Amino acid sequence: MITLTPEDVKERFGPLFSRKFLVMVDEKAGLAEIIEQCQARGTIEWDAMNRRRAGGAVASCAVEGSTMTIHARLGRHVVTFGPAADTIGGQALEGVEVNGDEAITSWEGIAGAGVGIAACLPQAPGVLRAEYPSEEDLKVGGARTNHVRIISPKYEKVSFGIDDTDTKAEGATWVMALKCAEACHIAGVEFLNMRLVQLNPKVPNKTTNCVGSALNFAARPQSIPALREFVCSFVEKQTVSNDTGIAFLRGIGMEKESPYLKAIKTEILTVDHAEKEAQRLGIEFLDKNGRKGRIGALGAVLWANRGIEAAGLYGEHL
């Protein structure tokens, strides 16, 4: 086994194009979420299509611009690997494993895709080191096949739902949510994205549009308590409403499907409804109010990682 740091890889192959590599793990659910960013969109799109075709640990891939998000299964899995064709992929994710506070991803690539996994990805910000089975795996390009294990810090995914921080006279929940994310500078925490979640606009007791906000973070396990405290404190200090709700979910997705995905956008619910469903799903409320903001906060967490449809009325698609 040959072990190289990102600096070693860069010195050997020259600076290449990976801009980010981050692995979040949910050991209880047996899932991982991998985020990669490249200098160009084309390489990310090709990688995503080939990895999905090759199978292995990959459950799904999504691409936004030059960033790819992979949802993967923990463990090692058989890949269908070779030159790109209808039933095989030229690049594959064989496995995602956890060793203490590190995440280990195992990759295979052929030809140009081998350059991607052996020379490009291992020098991305976020990588700790790369392990190559032999010197042959460090010979890239042409028709060669390459193998590598990439070791990175183990992160977890955490999502916050925030609602009812404004009144008809002042405030906007999405503005506060973004300011909260921008103000967060906790070691071991990385802000991923913010999502505006359209709730049921027909509820009678609302400001105007009835929109909750979700914040998604990647966090090292030891940093999660400080992150919870920061978000809760920031929102409670900045809110202009007495009804503010703050919901919290730790993990990638939820084990149980919720009928509230639809109900939060189409029905008029009570705080009691929201609290019972949150308890069933393992979602925690951090606010001390126990008032109507919990309904929208639950809805924001439910839709926090469901794509652009979160911003629409129920059933709307682009």
Side-chain angles (χ1 to χ4, degrees):
M1 188 73 70
I2 300 163
T3 302
L4 300 180
T5 67
E7 292 73 23
D8 295 332
V9 177
K10 189 177 295 185
E11 182 177 348
R12 182 159 186 150
F13 298 107
L16 291 175
F17 314 111
S18 289
R19 298 294 180 260
K20 180 177 183 178
F21 184 78
L22 188 150
V23 180
M24 292 171 281
V25 174
D26 185 336
E27 293 183 79
K28 181 179 179 182
L31 298 173
E33 185 172 322
I34 304 169
I35 297 176
E36 294 177 43
Q37 187 175 19
C38 187
Q39 177 179 312
R41 177 176 181 147
T43 51
I44 281 289
E45 292 176 338
W46 194 92
D47 290 349
M49 296 300 289
N50 275 264
R51 293 177 194 176
R52 186 70 185 91
R53 190 187 310 123
V58 175
S60 66
C61 292
V63 174
E64 293 184 34
S66 61
T67 299
M68 167 167 44
T69 301
I70 301 174
H71 285 100
R73 297 173 287 268
L74 294 185
R76 296 182 71 86
H77 303 268
V78 176
V79 299
T80 311
F81 172 74
D86 289 342
T87 58
I88 52 181
Q91 192 181 85
L93 173 63
E94 183 181 24
V96 184
E97 299 165 286
V98 176
N99 183 17
D101 65 350
E102 296 180 338
I104 303 168
T105 53
S106 300
W107 305 86
E108 300 181 54
I110 191 168
V115 179
I117 61 99
C120 190
L121 200 55
Q123 57 180 268
V127 173
L128 295 174
R129 61 189 183 278
E131 297 176 346
Y132 301 84
S134 71
E135 278 289 346
E136 288 300 309
D137 294 290
L138 284 162
K139 297 175 183 177
V140 300
R144 293 184 177 92
T145 297
N146 302 93
H147 305 81
V148 65
R149 295 189 346 142
I150 296 176
I151 295 89
S152 59
K154 181 185 77 173
Y155 283 83
E156 292 187 35
K157 190 167 196 176
V158 294
S159 301
F160 296 88
I162 304 167
D163 195 32
D164 270 307
T165 69
D166 54 357
T167 68
K168 289 184 180 295
E170 60 179 324
T173 296
W174 73 269
V175 173
M176 176 188 289
L178 262 184
K179 286 183 176 181
C180 177
E182 290 180 343
C184 182
H185 302 291
I186 299 171
V189 173
E190 181 166 340
F191 173 54
L192 297 176
N193 53 59
M194 187 271 276
R195 178 155 278 131
L196 275 71
V197 179
Q198 178 65 59
L199 308 170
N200 182 3
K202 295 183 179 179
V203 298
N205 191 7
K206 63 180 190 295
T207 48
T208 304
N209 291 315
C210 201
V211 176
S213 294
L215 296 176
N216 292 309
F217 294 88
R220 301 279 276 150
Q222 63 270 25
S223 299
I224 292 177
L227 176 60
R228 282 168 47 109
E229 174 60 29
F230 173 82
V231 172
C232 190
S233 176
F234 186 98
V235 173
E236 290 184 338
K237 287 178 181 177
Q238 299 295 323
T239 185
V240 294
S241 167
N242 294 320
D243 293 317
T244 301
I246 308 169
F248 171 80
L249 175 66
R250 180 174 181 169
I252 300 170
M254 284 167 279
E255 294 182 12
K256 305 170 185 175
E257 193 69 19
S258 176
Y260 280 62
L261 278 166
K262 179 178 180 181
I264 203 74
K265 288 177 174 281
T266 60
E267 299 178 21
I268 298 174
L269 305 174
T270 67
V271 174
D272 184 59
H273 289 143
E275 290 175 342
K276 287 180 178 177
E277 183 64 359
Q279 184 176 26
R280 188 181 78 88
L281 296 173
I283 296 170
E284 183 181 353
F285 288 111
L286 304 182
D287 63 88
K288 303 177 181 66
N289 295 322
R291 301 183 67 169
K292 71 181 184 68
R294 289 191 169 185
I295 303 170
L298 170 66
V301 167
L302 290 176
W303 283 92
N305 294 286
R306 296 238 170 205
I308 195 170
E309 285 78 12
L313 301 172
Y314 189 77
E316 281 190 323
H317 305 280
L318 286 184

